[in-house]
DNA sequence: TTGAATTAAGAACAATCGTTCTCTATAATG
DNA sequence: CATTATAGAGAACGATTGTTCTTAATTCAA
């Protein structure tokens, strides 16, 4: 009942995309697919679209669809695998894409101190902050207190807004911060990333072009 | 000496790309840039290309260049004011390049469970694993135990290698794991990232046209 | 005030785009 | 055998593309 072997075409397209990071036009795809006619190429792309490997992008062009990054299950993976290697391939999916939704409003901040360890935010982590002058209680915000940026949970009670740390073991060291006048919010927390490298990795003269 | 404020244009383009995952045509960009003429749009794109924010893709089209994904890093302490101070050049960072050094050997794994909370590794985080069949004591490794992947600290004593959890409060729930035969290591931990978005973002039936 | 950059607008070009239509081979099926 | 999908070729359409050229408004310093 298999009507058209889409996958042999798909494979080449995926390879091309991994190289060029762009979905080619029908004309280019025709060449890539061993010189098939443009109309035939178009029909196959249509099929790939129906199957969810491609999807429409603005301007009548196509972009990778939800299934485009699916992993071909098979080699290397053991039977009874728990959750297969997260079918996210770092080569194809950018972590950046995943984490950042509004690039122009996003800034990274290195974390200092341990006031938020209970939320898994450690010193040295990079937190991703989206600029905003307001936030709602419960959100983690980057606020400006005494000319310093500080990452805290925004809270509110009958006396107004205040900032809370999240470190049970040293709660006395981090009392709630109540603004003298008004609370200056710089942005809100949307995520973080952390790098834990063994020192000495890639030593020597790294004079790469 | 600043000849053209490229960055106000770049910001909108970056936001567009984050949404649509495609670099628009000059015509569409003209609209995005508040209806500028196509020729002017073209000239700005040329500038962005010269600066490394865009680069040529096959078919006369453009794709993001190396600098397209640079993110500004803020400073924990604000001397005067944060960024923008034309003189001071903001520090820039590409998240993917920062986190991943060997793309072909790198795999992402979603974290399950809370056995490593003391190291700030929470359920739902994505850990970055570099493939390797060996590791040294003290390293965090992704090991295969009972046909399941598990993230633990690799330790060693006179009786040999074993795996340790890092969760003080529930240490009795996570006793050290000693392999019956030999310890199968899948790779070692080099970092993680975490996304904390407000629910409701792009959820539900994604029946877009 | 003059003059040059800067920031556009507008027209025009060939090339390419996506798309559709009609027409063949080839292969399998009954 | 005849039939019916499959796999493709080829031409043709108008729309959009990237690109270049010329001209005009604005800004800003000398």
């Amino acid at each position: 009942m298999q009507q058209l072997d889409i996958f042999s075409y798909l494979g080449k397209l995926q390879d091309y995309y991994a190289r060029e990071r762009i979905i080619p036009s029908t004309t280019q795809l025709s060449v890539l697919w061993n010189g098939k006619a443009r109309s035939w190429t178009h029909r196959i792309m249509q099929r790939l679209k129906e199957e969810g490997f491609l999807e429409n992008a603005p301007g009548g062009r196509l972009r990778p669809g939800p299934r485009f990054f699916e992993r071909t299950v098979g080699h290397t993976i053991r039977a009874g695998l728990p959750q297969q290697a997260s079918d996210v391939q770092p080569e194809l999916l950018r972590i950046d894409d995943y984490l950042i939704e509004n690039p122009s409003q996003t800034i990274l901040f290195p974390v200092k101190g341990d006031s938020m360890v209970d939320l898994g935010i450690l010193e040295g982590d990079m937190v991703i902050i989206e600029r905003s002058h307001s936030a709602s209680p419960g959100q983690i915000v980057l606020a400006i207190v005494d000319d310093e940026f500080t990452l805290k949970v925004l809270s509110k009670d009958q006396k107004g807004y205040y900032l809370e740390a999240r470190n049970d073991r040293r709660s006395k060291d981090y009392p709630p911060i109540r603004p003298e006048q008004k609370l200056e919010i710089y942005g809100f927390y949307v995520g973080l990333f952390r790098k834990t490298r063994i020192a000495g990795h890639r030593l020597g003269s790294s004079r790469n072009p």
Side-chain angles (χ1 to χ4, degrees), chain A:
Chain A
M1 193 50 87
Q2 173 86 2
Q3 359 197 30
L4 172 59
D5 182 22
I6 269 182
F7 297 96
S8 57
Y9 293 96
L10 178 62
K12 284 180 185 171
L13 178 55
Q14 285 171 324
D15 289 348
Y16 181 94
Y17 187 84
R19 282 200 315 276
E20 306 289 354
R21 288 190 180 291
I22 201 171
I23 298 291
S25 67
T26 42
T27 312
Q28 298 168 260
L29 246 189
S30 298
V31 176
L32 193 73
W33 285 344
N34 300 322
K36 306 299 160 108
R38 219 142 59 88
S39 57
W40 180 242
T41 301
H42 179 254
R43 207 180 306 179
I44 294 177
M45 289 180 91
Q46 223 60 23
R47 288 293 285 276
L48 289 173
K49 212 168 71 180
E50 287 166 16
E51 298 288 337
F53 295 109
L54 295 174
E55 66 182 19
N56 282 103
R61 282 179 288 184
L62 294 172
R63 67 178 154 211
R67 293 187 62 194
F68 192 83
F69 300 104
E70 264 181 10
R71 239 190 201 192
T72 50
V73 186
H75 65 113
T76 336
I77 304 187
R78 55 190 47 245
L81 68 160
Q83 67 231 346
Q84 70 189 31
S86 116
D87 50 11
V88 185
Q89 284 168 293
E91 307 241 29
L92 294 180
L93 181 76
R94 307 203 65 135
I95 298 175
D96 189 280
D97 276 353
Y98 172 74
L99 289 175
I100 294 182
E101 294 182 359
N102 300 300
S104 67
Q105 302 300 318
T106 303
I107 296 185
L108 312 176
F109 276 84
V111 174
K112 283 202 165 188
D114 62 348
S115 66
M116 299 292 278
V117 285
D118 291 353
L119 296 181
I121 303 173
L122 312 185
E123 171 140 10
D125 291 356
M126 277 283 191
V127 290
I128 302 162
I129 301 295
E130 220 173 278
R131 289 228 52 175
S132 169
H133 293 296
S134 62
S136 1
Q139 271 191 301
I140 301 172
V141 298
L142 187 71
I144 300 171
V145 176
D146 293 337
D147 252 14
E148 270 198 45
F149 288 104
T150 185
L151 191 74
K152 294 285 183 301
V153 174
L154 181 65
S155 297
K156 189 188 184 183
D157 60 9
Q158 63 277 16
K159 281 185 284 182
Y161 289 95
Y162 63 101
L163 299 172
E164 273 186 308
R166 284 292 147 87
N167 185 338
D168 267 0
R169 290 170 215 217
R170 296 184 53 196
S171 56
K172 55 195 167 301
D173 293 337
Y174 298 110
I177 299 172
R178 290 196 176 268
E180 64 286 9
Q181 287 204 344
K182 80 169 179 170
L183 198 50
E184 194 175 354
I185 288 175
Y186 187 81
F188 56 88
Y189 165 93
V190 297
L192 66 76
F193 56 93
R194 177 187 305 160
K195 188 178 184 178
T196 318
R197 277 277 167 188
I198 306 114
H201 195 85
R202 262 198 207 181
L203 272 184
S205 59
S206 64
R207 54 181 79 260
N208 57 336

